[in-house]
Amino acid sequence: MNRRVLKNFTLSVDGHGQAGRLEEYTPPEFAKITEDFRAGGMDIAVPVELGMEPMEVTFKLFDYNKTLLTRFKDKSIPLVARGGAEDSATGEVIAVTQTMRGMITKIGSGTWKPNDRAILEITAKLTAFKEEHDGEVVIEIDAENMIRNIDGQDVLAGVREALKL
């Protein structure tokens, strides 16, 4: 059985690479907002999709980085996570790229202790996210332009057309 194992990763924040500083990166989770709907003639309620939950990323740095601390003032910054995923059977490595835009909403300085390193933890709420595997778009979500493209199908295209957006 072939498995793609993410072997390593890095992150760029507002054009500043964090290789050698990045300790941990948590990509966004995707969650649909649903409401149960049950009308006459229905035995059980069915979920009705009402959009998506907000997306956010978090990352931890082994670097008390002044440049990142000052980005707290910005309304929107670009973030790019890059990883290398290796096929366990063939050894082929593919590039996994997550390109995002968002606002830093939380900065934590961790705990300061003698003879222990302090970790800078940053959370950003996203307005746009795109994941590519070797240049092929797998997921693209753009809140401001009402795009949700999954595997080449924009599931919001019909709604945008109805709204003449």
Side-chain angles (χ1 to χ4, degrees):
M1 171 186 286
N2 294 18
R3 290 181 181 86
R4 288 197 172 143
V5 179
L6 186 68
K7 294 284 187 149
N8 212 329
F9 61 95
T10 189
L11 180 71
S12 173
V13 181
D14 198 21
H16 300 278
Q18 302 303 315
R21 298 177 189 97
L22 185 63
E23 181 162 296
E24 186 176 299
Y25 165 69
T26 305
E29 292 183 353
F30 306 112
K32 293 178 182 177
I33 298 170
T34 62
E35 185 175 289
D36 287 342
F37 173 75
R38 182 175 177 211
M42 297 175 70
D43 187 39
I44 62 170
V46 296
V48 176
E49 183 185 336
L50 299 173
M52 288 183 63
E53 295 283 346
M55 299 178 295
E56 72 177 26
V57 297
T58 58
F59 52 95
K60 295 180 182 180
L61 298 169
F62 178 53
D63 180 15
Y64 205 74
N65 190 306
K66 176 185 173 188
T67 302
L68 290 180
L69 289 168
T70 64
R71 293 298 174 261
F72 191 66
K73 72 181 180 332
D74 297 334
K75 299 295 182 199
S76 183
I77 60 170
L79 302 108
V80 180
R82 298 182 189 283
E86 182 178 71
D87 187 303
S88 63
T90 67
E92 175 191 13
V93 176
I94 67 157
V96 177
T97 306
Q98 295 181 341
T99 306
M100 301 157 275
R101 179 161 286 285
M103 178 192 302
I104 292 177
T105 56
K106 185 176 176 182
I107 298 177
S109 299
T111 303
W112 293 11
K113 296 187 284 185
N115 298 320
D116 199 3
R117 57 195 172 114
I119 301 296
L120 189 63
E121 184 171 352
I122 296 177
T123 300
K125 293 205 177 204
L126 304 178
T127 57
F129 174 89
K130 178 168 60 174
E131 181 165 323
E132 299 171 275
H133 291 197
D134 268 351
E136 179 184 336
V137 177
V138 178
I139 298 173
E140 180 178 13
I141 298 169
D142 184 337
E144 293 170 338
N145 293 303
M146 201 171 179
I147 294 170
R148 190 181 335 151
N149 185 338
I150 312 294
D151 195 27
Q153 180 184 2
D154 187 347
V155 297
L156 300 178
V159 176
R160 273 195 323 275
E161 175 61 30
L163 299 176
K164 301 297 182 204
L165 295 177

